[in-house]
Amino acid sequence: MRTRTLLLGLLLGLAALLLPALPATAADNGTWGVFPTPPAGAAMTDRAYFFHQGSAGTTVSDSATIVNSSDKELTFQIFATDAVNTPVGGAFALLPVETKPKDVGTWIALPPETKTTVTVPPKGRKDLPFSVKVPADATPGDHVGGIVALNTAVEGIQEEGKVKVGVKRQVGARLYFRVPGPVTPGLSVEDVKVSRPAPLLPWVKDARAKISYSLVNRGNVVVEPKVAVSAEGLFGRRVLDRPARELKLVLLPGQRIELTEDWADAPQSDWVTVDITAGASAYPDLVSVSDTEFLAVPWPALGALLVLAGAGITVWVLRRRRRTGPEQPEEAQDLAEVR
């Protein structure tokens, strides 16, 4: 029973963590959605997410709306939590209900009715006022989290070995909260690596390579990074040049993400230096550069050539020995000279 409960928790956590980084639109999965409450008398809101700021010790109020677009009644568990970036790929994600928040998620006070569950009628909506109380020791900068509606109904069954577990879905609206004070944007490129499996037949097929690197937000504000990738071979020859492009992701303060770049036509014989340059349009002076070097050698082909060369030398030596015949011992040669 404990194993089953643990697996269920892991699956729920995985489903919650895989909330993709999307353009600025309300959080909606087609069945239900969570977004800032529209102004009185309005059916829609022009706010994609919650954006607020307040000094330490202040309280800010707002309201979240849960919309049920389906033809049946839905029941939700509502909770506030922190945001993170997924370690691989850097997608925006909200922590699952099993994980206790440590930052802005603890600042949010939801209405008493959310302590149990909230039911929304078919084609209906539910407005939930909430407040954000900034603690006295809050650090300046951006604090990011969200308000989540977790459907209490099990929407699918997944098998893990002999154990079957239920999977639930959740949708969350982002909440960006800035505490005034010194703003320190920080972005670092680290751990640049190149993996390159050499083709069996060099120069006949392209040599594919994969460039991997880490981006780390070492500042106290959100950064939307852009990255340029370049590489030079021997004598400064440019072998790769990808201009800076927006990654379409939001890198949160303190987060570290792993990214990759596919390189379809990497050099097959060269000494290459790969450079990763990261920046952010909102902070023109924020630039980080890191590089790595690798030796491109067609090892399979080189190994085959060495084997063939070794075989050729062996054949040549054997043939030479057969032509000259066996050498006479030195003592026999001396006797022949005396006679």
Side-chain angles (χ1 to χ4, degrees):
M1 189 66 179
R2 174 179 290 183
T3 302
R4 180 172 181 173
T5 303
L6 176 60
L7 288 173
L8 176 60
L10 289 174
L11 283 174
L12 290 177
L14 179 61
L17 201 59
L18 295 180
L19 292 174
L22 298 174
T25 57
D28 192 323
N29 64 6
T31 304
W32 73 90
V34 184
F35 52 88
T37 299
M44 299 294 292
T45 178
D46 59 356
R47 293 191 295 165
Y49 310 126
F50 298 101
F51 293 93
H52 289 292
Q53 68 174 2
S55 302
T58 62
T59 300
V60 177
S61 298
D62 206 331
S63 178
T65 293
I66 314 298
V67 172
N68 179 4
S69 304
S70 72
D71 297 322
K72 61 181 181 179
E73 184 179 85
L74 296 177
T75 301
F76 302 100
Q77 181 178 358
I78 311 297
F79 63 96
T81 191
D82 296 336
V84 295
N85 290 106
T86 56
V88 178
F92 184 96
L94 293 171
L95 294 175
V97 66
E98 294 87 359
T99 304
K100 292 184 178 181
K102 299 180 179 179
D103 194 50
V104 71
T106 65
W107 306 357
I108 300 172
L110 294 167
E113 61 186 298
T114 60
K115 292 187 180 300
T116 54
T117 57
V118 173
T119 299
V120 183
K123 305 298 182 181
R125 59 181 265 186
K126 182 74 173 179
D127 297 339
L128 300 172
F130 67 90
S131 62
V132 184
K133 185 175 182 180
V134 186
D137 60 350
T139 58
D142 292 336
H143 302 262
V144 188
I147 296 176
V148 182
L150 170 65
N151 190 359
T152 59
V154 175
E155 297 192 21
I157 300 296
Q158 184 167 339
E159 293 189 8
E160 292 288 336
K162 297 182 179 180
V163 179
K164 293 183 179 181
V165 294
V167 178
K168 300 178 182 179
R169 286 193 298 165
Q170 71 179 39
V171 173
R174 307 183 190 188
L175 186 147
Y176 294 88
F177 200 102
R178 174 165 290 188
V179 178
V183 171
T184 309
L187 183 62
S188 176
V189 182
E190 302 176 7
D191 299 332
V192 181
K193 299 176 183 176
V194 178
S195 59
R196 177 189 166 276
L200 184 61
L201 297 175
W203 305 290
V204 175
K205 293 185 178 181
D206 291 339
R208 305 188 64 87
K210 187 180 291 292
I211 304 169
S212 61
Y213 59 97
S214 300
L215 287 184
V216 186
N217 186 342
R218 298 193 180 279
N220 63 355
V221 291
V222 166
V223 173
E224 297 182 12
K226 59 181 180 180
V227 169
V229 183
S230 63
E232 288 187 355
L234 289 172
F235 311 111
R237 184 171 59 92
R238 186 60 63 96
V239 294
L240 179 65
D241 190 2
R242 295 179 182 174
R245 73 186 192 284
E246 301 287 346
L247 297 183
K248 307 299 182 184
L249 61 85
V250 176
L251 186 56
L252 306 178
Q255 295 291 298
R256 179 189 188 93
I257 61 175
E258 309 293 332
L259 300 173
T260 59
E261 294 269 346
D262 289 324
W263 190 358
D265 54 349
Q268 301 194 41
S269 57
D270 207 339
W271 187 284
V272 183
T273 301
V274 177
D275 291 285
I276 305 291
T277 303
S281 298
Y283 305 100
D285 296 332
L286 183 61
V287 178
S288 177
V289 182
S290 186
D291 61 44
T292 189
E293 296 182 346
F294 73 95
L295 178 62
V297 177
W299 294 113
L302 183 60
L305 288 175
L306 290 175
V307 170
L308 291 174
I313 293 173
T314 301
V315 170
W316 180 80
V317 170
L318 291 175
R319 287 181 176 177
R320 183 175 177 82
R321 286 181 177 179
R322 288 173 183 172
R323 288 176 183 175
T324 58
E327 295 182 358
Q328 293 181 350
E330 292 184 3
E331 185 177 349
Q333 290 179 358
D334 292 341
L335 290 175
E337 290 176 1
V338 171
R339 289 177 183 176

